[in-house]
């Protein structure tokens, strides 16, 4: 392998002594995948670095779909710009914890084409490794000083969180204390995310204590970018050999980061149809803040991508719809009591913000715009300052600005409208006898690709148009039911729309019915 790459490098080098002062590196994704990709040259710019990554991963075909459970070493090489290093002197993703060296390894360097080297992986450990406590902490005085500084910063942040929780406590049911001394990473050492999450649920139900979150965040190795948005980027990362998703916010998006972390840590929010939150962390070097939000990772990615890629069976369709409805209903419902949760409205429901899990059910993600209801004062916990969310999915009352922002119920109704559009996207992909509709976004035939508020208002409010229901849906019981539900979700009169609970119940009985039919 090495010799081939060296050969290629020798051939390519003459062509790259071209222009530019920036660092040149080899670039290839999955260089050793069957059918092999020849490395190209990329430009890491000034102060950038060359990276090669070795990941033990399932064997996959050219389209990235697993062909077996057998794991092989997969090499990727790429350029990293200086600004992608986060902490310029100490690029975060070049650091790999000892515990995961059998899962992945990273080699970073700063000479032209230096990343032809394949970082070595350790053999897969036989039994569960028992990492002694002392090993997870480096020694030495310099490190000691750094740790002390970090600890002070952490305490300041904890204090801030306690303060901000106190502030909320006056509004909500008793909120759990931020216990910093029951750190599971230092005590009985749960070794998996599942254990950690169970541990966190057994306590308050509102997530891990902040210092634990921080510890986890700092042990994560970033592997690859899997998504980009207006807020920043989403990465796939590793924590102790498990995949996690890391959403990294632009520093100007601090409010979104804070809000999303805050919503995720609402007491008792955890639910199988809501994206599992693991940790939030912010790192600051004085002038520049890096904001992380760490959640569960799902290979199939968003419902939008999933539907665009594949069709579904009748049961598959109902499972997607029903599980999404369960997620929305759990958000919307208020649970009373000490172990309760406030009602939450999502405010940005769409197929891109719903993830598909391996078992074909969905979970709702992206809670950055969500609002909570304080039922004691009958107030929305923050008053939205402007119309945000995705224009295509905005309910008519948002588009024409008649939504009563102080009435919490109206936000739930706007969610239900958006949910109706998602149902339409799902139903089109239900393949019966080989017949289905191609994947499209709602209103694809009525507005341009990035519609303005005005264009959406004309279509949804003035002309009162809604996505078309294909004739074939009338011939299939399940599609007929789903078509009726979506129509009742997108009534112009918000008060007439179904509630999330009603949708969940209707889809649950439809699912039961279809499953019985199949037996
Ligand atoms: C903080 O990080 C940014 C981005 O890496 C860098 O431009 C800036 O100089 C750093 N500031 C300090 C004080 O290290
Ligand atoms: C579906 O995916 C293809 C290929 O990635 C993309 O070109 C197309 O725009 C997607 N469809 C929609 C409606 O976005």
């Amino acid at each position: 392998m090495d010799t081939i790459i060296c050969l290629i490098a020798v051939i390519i080098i003459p062509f790259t002594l071209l222009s530019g002062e920036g660092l040149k590196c080899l670039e290839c994704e999955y260089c050793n995948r069957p059918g092999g990709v020849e490395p190209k040259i990329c430009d890491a710019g000034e102060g950038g670095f060359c990276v090669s990554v070795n990941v033990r991963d399932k064997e996959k075909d050219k389209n990235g779909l697993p062909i077996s459970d057998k794991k092989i070493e997969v090499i990727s090489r790429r350029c990293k710009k200086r600004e992608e290093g986060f902490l310029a002197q100490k690029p975060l993703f070049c650091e790999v914890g000892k515990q995961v060296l059998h899962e992945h390894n990273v080699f970073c360097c700063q000479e032209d084409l230096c990343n032809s080297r394949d970082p070595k992986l350790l053999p897969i450990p036989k039994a569960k490794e028992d990492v002694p406590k002392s090993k997870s902490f480096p020694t030495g005085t310099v490190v000691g000083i750094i740790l002390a500084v970090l600890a002070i910063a952490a305490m300041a942040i904890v204090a801030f969180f306690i303060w901000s929780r106190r502030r909320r406590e006056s509004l909500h049911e008793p909120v759990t204390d931020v216990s910093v001394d029951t750190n599971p990473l230092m005590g009985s050492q749960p070794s998996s995310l599942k254990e950690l999450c169970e541990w966190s649920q057994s306590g308050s139900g509102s997530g891990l204590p902040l210092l634990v979150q921080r510890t986890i965040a700092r042990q994560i190795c970033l592997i690859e970018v899997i998504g980009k948005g207006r807020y920043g980027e989403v990465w796939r990362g590793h924590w102790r050999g498990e995949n996690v998703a890391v959403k990294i916010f632009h520093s100007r998006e601090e409010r979104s980061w804070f809000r999303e972390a805050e919503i995720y840590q609402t007491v008792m929010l955890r639910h199988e149809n809501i994206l599992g939150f693991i940790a939030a962390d912010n790192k600051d070097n004085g002038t520049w803040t890096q904001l992380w939000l760490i959640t569960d990772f799902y290979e199939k990615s968003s419902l939008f991508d999933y539907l665009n890629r594949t069709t579904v069976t009748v049961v598959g369709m109902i499972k997607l719809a029903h599980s999404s409805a369960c997620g929305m209903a759990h958000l919307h419902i208020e649970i009373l009591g000490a172990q309760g949760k406030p009602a939450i409205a999502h405010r940005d429901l769409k197929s891109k913000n719903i993830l598909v899990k391996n078992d074909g059910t969905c979970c709702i993600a992206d809670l950055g715009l969500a609002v909570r209801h304080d039922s004691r004062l009958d107030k929305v916990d923050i008053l939205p300052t402007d119309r945000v969310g995705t224009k295509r999915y905005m309910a008519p009352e948002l588009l024409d600005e008649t939504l009563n922002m102080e009435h919490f119920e109206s936000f739930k109704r706007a969610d239900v409208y958006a949910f109706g559009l998602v149902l339409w996207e799902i139903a089109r992909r239900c393949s019966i006898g080989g017949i289905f509709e191609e994947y499209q976004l709602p209103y694809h035939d009525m507005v341009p690709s990035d519609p303005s508020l005005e264009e959406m208002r004309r279509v949804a409010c003035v002309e009162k148009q809604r996505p078309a229901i294909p004739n074939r849906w009338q011939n299939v019981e399940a599609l007929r039911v789903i078509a009726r539900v979506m129509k009742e979700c997108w009534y112009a009169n918000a008060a007439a729309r179904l509630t999330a609970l009603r949708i969940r119940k209707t889809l649950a009985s439809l699912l039961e019915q279809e499953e019985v039919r199949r037996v």
Side-chain angles (χ1 to χ4, degrees):
M1 186 40 122
D2 277 353
T3 49
I4 296 173
I5 285 161
C6 284
L7 261 177
I8 294 167
V10 165
I11 296 164
I12 297 174
I13 286 169
F15 296 103
T16 57
L17 299 176
L18 307 168
S19 55
E21 325 73 54
L23 178 69
K24 300 276 185 281
C25 313
L26 295 172
E27 179 185 52
C28 53
E29 282 299 301
Y30 316 120
C31 316
N32 56 343
R33 182 177 276 173
V37 201
E38 298 217 341
K40 292 183 296 194
I41 303 287
C42 56
D43 186 351
E46 234 182 299
F49 39 96
C50 303
V51 183
S52 58
V53 182
N54 187 352
V55 179
R56 207 186 293 279
D57 200 0
K58 283 188 193 149
E59 211 170 347
K60 292 183 182 163
D61 66 12
K62 268 180 262 160
N63 301 317
L65 299 170
I67 43 181
S68 75
D69 276 345
K70 200 182 115 200
K71 292 203 166 172
I72 55 164
E73 295 189 16
V74 184
I75 308 284
S76 298
R77 303 178 206 287
R78 48 184 93 101
C79 282
K80 283 283 168 193
K81 303 265 189 217
R82 187 178 181 282
E83 59 271 22
E84 290 178 281
F86 302 129
L87 302 166
Q89 265 64 48
K90 214 167 164 233
L92 211 55
F93 51 76
C94 298
E95 304 209 359
V96 181
K98 276 197 191 113
Q99 307 96 316
V100 296
L101 272 179
H102 62 281
E103 279 286 343
H104 92 278
N105 197 359
V106 179
F107 171 68
C108 296
C109 53
Q110 288 191 302
E111 277 166 54
D112 279 343
L113 305 176
C114 59
N115 62 336
S116 65
R117 205 172 108 185
D118 298 348
K120 292 266 177 293
L121 295 186
L122 294 178
I124 299 172
K126 293 256 153 34
K128 218 182 219 180
E129 53 183 337
D130 222 25
V131 190
K133 194 157 95 180
S134 58
K135 270 205 183 152
S136 48
F137 294 100
T139 49
T141 43
V142 181
V143 177
I145 291 165
I146 292 170
L147 278 179
V149 171
L150 273 180
I152 290 167
M155 273 155 66
I157 286 157
V158 169
F160 171 71
F161 270 77
I162 291 173
W163 170 78
S164 73
R165 275 183 182 231
R166 284 265 161 78
R167 212 175 36 150
R168 275 185 295 151
E169 246 166 332
S170 61
L171 300 176
H172 289 285
E173 294 296 328
V175 185
T176 54
D177 58 330
V178 188
S179 40
V180 293
D181 49 356
T182 50
N183 182 341
L185 293 178
M186 298 171 183
S188 53
Q189 290 264 357
S191 52
S192 73
L193 288 172
K194 212 164 152 228
E195 278 177 63
L196 262 179
C197 290
E198 276 161 13
W199 178 88
S200 75
Q201 267 174 311
S202 65
S204 60
S206 68
L208 297 167
L210 291 161
L211 280 187
V212 181
Q213 294 188 22
R214 166 145 297 179
T215 311
I216 294 175
R218 309 238 154 148
Q219 292 171 345
I220 284 174
C221 317
L222 298 174
I223 310 289
E224 59 182 343
V225 176
I226 53 173
K228 280 189 163 77
R230 71 188 129 88
Y231 52 83
E233 287 178 337
V234 183
W235 287 70
R236 178 168 72 89
H238 269 164
W239 185 75
R240 297 195 177 176
E242 288 179 72
N243 277 321
V244 293
V246 183
K247 192 165 163 183
I248 300 179
F249 292 73
H250 298 305
S251 37
R252 64 170 183 276
E253 294 288 338
E254 182 162 28
R255 269 180 50 196
S256 309
W257 168 80
F258 187 85
R259 182 65 182 164
E260 193 162 357
E262 185 181 45
I263 292 279
Y264 269 123
Q265 291 175 92
T266 301
V267 182
M268 294 311 282
L269 182 60
R270 281 197 92 80
H271 186 273
E272 59 181 334
N273 302 118
I274 292 172
L275 180 61
F277 169 83
I278 298 166
D281 188 21
N282 60 341
K283 296 175 205 201
D284 206 317
N285 73 350
T287 56
W288 202 74
T289 315
Q290 196 197 333
L291 307 163
W292 283 30
L293 196 89
I294 300 144
T295 62
D296 291 341
F297 171 82
Y298 297 114
E299 239 159 85
K300 288 198 169 64
S301 75
S302 72
L303 182 60
F304 168 82
D305 291 326
Y306 182 72
L307 291 174
N308 193 355
R309 220 169 34 223
T310 58
T311 60
V312 287
T313 62
V314 172
V315 170
M317 163 183 76
I318 306 172
K319 269 169 80 175
L320 292 175
H322 172 250
S323 53
S324 308
C326 289
M328 178 171 69
H330 184 70
L331 280 177
H332 282 190
I333 200 167
E334 177 184 13
I335 302 172
L336 295 168
Q339 284 290 300
K341 71 171 265 300
I344 298 172
H346 188 286
R347 297 210 306 142
D348 197 16
L349 270 185
K350 55 176 173 176
S351 52
K352 284 182 183 163
N353 285 346
I354 297 176
L355 305 181
V356 182
K357 302 200 258 189
N358 289 339
D359 64 356
T361 62
C362 292
C363 64
I364 293 178
D366 285 275
L367 297 179
L369 294 177
V371 289
R372 288 178 295 198
H373 185 218
D374 178 358
S375 58
R376 259 187 284 175
L377 301 175
D378 192 22
K379 280 228 166 83
V380 180
D381 74 335
I382 51 159
L383 273 190
T385 46
D386 46 19
R387 286 181 292 173
V388 283
T390 307
K391 298 181 188 81
R392 187 181 294 277
Y393 290 83
M394 277 186 183
E397 63 273 21
L398 276 165
L399 292 166
D400 67 12
E401 296 182 72
T402 56
L403 180 136
N404 179 356
M405 295 267 183
E406 293 181 24
H407 184 42
F408 186 76
E409 209 60 29
S410 35
F411 292 109
K412 295 209 277 189
R413 291 167 183 167
D415 275 357
V416 167
Y417 168 87
F419 185 81
L421 301 180
V422 173
L423 275 186
W424 179 84
E425 293 173 70
I426 298 174
R428 285 173 62 92
R429 303 299 283 156
C430 177
S431 168
I432 297 169
I435 301 174
F436 53 86
E437 285 80 40
E438 62 169 342
Y439 176 75
Q440 287 296 355
L441 284 167
Y443 300 111
H444 66 103
D445 48 353
M446 305 170 208
V447 294
S449 67
D450 187 16
S452 66
L453 280 172
E454 190 42 44
E455 284 162 330
M456 283 312 304
R457 199 182 64 83
R458 179 178 51 75
V459 168
C461 304
V462 180
E463 299 169 8
K464 296 197 189 309
Q465 304 214 51
R466 294 292 183 271
I469 307 282
N471 284 333
R472 72 158 180 128
W473 294 9
Q474 296 311 320
N475 308 326
V476 184
E477 160 76 4
L479 279 171
R480 216 165 34 228
V481 172
I482 296 220
R484 199 193 67 223
V485 171
M486 69 183 77
K487 281 186 201 157
E488 293 182 26
C489 287
W490 65 43
Y491 285 139
N493 175 6
R497 290 177 201 150
L498 298 174
T499 62
L501 215 54
R502 173 52 41 213
I503 299 168
R504 194 191 76 189
K505 284 181 181 161
T506 305
L507 294 174
S509 51
L510 185 61
L511 183 60
E512 205 171 300
Q513 200 177 312
E514 283 298 323
E515 277 173 344
V516 166
R517 183 175 302 182
R518 244 130 262 268
V519 175

